[in-house]
Amino acid sequence: MTTRRRQTTLRRLHGAIIDLVVLMNLPSRDDDLLAEAGVSLDRALFPLLVGVERFGPIGVGELAERAGRDYTTISRQVAKLAALGLVERRPSPADARVKEAIITAEGRRVTDALDAARQRIAGPALAQWSDRDLMELERLMRRYVDDMFAAADKAADGD
């Protein structure tokens, strides 16, 4: 691929990623997902609950970083999730000064309902995709994200 063609392709890829992020962050999309899942939860809380389920046990600071939000805001929201019985807060075994969040059985029930709803919502968009195409998209997205994290870690280390 020529340098010019590669630059054009990378620009289009970036545009597609921006479009995906915009789509995934639409408040109405969150409302639709929560309704489809039959879950009554503040729209600001469910991405954090999913983050705790996917990455937990996780410190509140790391969760805030992953969410791109302020530590104090995330700490308050995790406290709300704990009050709802969806997560448990506990000192980290590695560092007792760090409070970790871990999913509860009720929290897992909610994230399972959200996952099922997400699949029902995405189903029509992917209905005409072959299994091979879907697996290839997953493989390439995972590779892209992993490589971007590796590049960010390398840059942070000063390499």
Side-chain angles (χ1 to χ4, degrees), residues 4-110:
R4 185 171 186 76
R5 174 84 173 143
R6 188 174 185 87
Q7 288 172 340
T8 301
T9 300
L10 289 172
R11 185 175 180 84
R12 287 182 183 156
L13 175 62
H14 185 254
I17 291 168
I18 294 293
D19 289 345
L20 180 60
V21 169
V22 167
L23 177 65
M24 297 303 290
N25 286 324
L26 290 173
S28 61
R29 185 166 177 85
D30 291 347
D31 292 337
D32 292 346
L33 178 63
L34 289 165
E36 178 67 28
V39 171
S40 178
L41 189 63
D42 185 312
R43 193 172 359 133
L45 297 179
F46 93 85
L48 299 177
L49 179 63
V50 170
V52 171
E53 189 267 331
R54 299 291 195 271
F55 308 116
I58 186 169
V60 173
E62 183 181 349
L63 185 60
E65 185 175 318
R66 285 180 178 262
R69 302 208 332 261
D70 178 73
Y71 173 88
T72 57
T73 300
I74 298 303
S75 182
R76 280 193 309 271
Q77 290 173 328
V78 169
K80 288 179 186 177
L81 289 170
L84 294 169
L86 302 175
V87 302
E88 177 185 316
R89 295 180 81 182
R90 66 177 189 201
S92 168
D95 184 348
R97 297 171 298 173
V98 174
K99 285 283 229 177
E100 288 182 335
I102 187 166
I103 194 95
T104 63
E106 179 62 15
R108 185 163 309 280
R109 186 194 68 71
V110 171

Side-chain angles (χ1 to χ4, degrees), residues 103-126:
I103 194 95
T104 63
E106 179 62 15
R108 185 163 309 280
R109 186 194 68 71
V110 171
T111 59
D112 287 349
L114 290 166
D115 287 343
R118 196 174 288 109
Q119 288 181 13
R120 288 190 300 274
I121 290 170
L126 300 171

Side-chain angles (χ1 to χ4, degrees), residues 126-141:
L126 300 171
Q128 300 304 311
W129 288 47
S130 70
D131 290 346
R132 182 173 181 230
D133 285 348
L134 190 56
M135 289 172 24
E136 187 70 358
L137 175 65
E138 185 273 332
R139 183 186 73 79
L140 290 171
M141 286 294 295

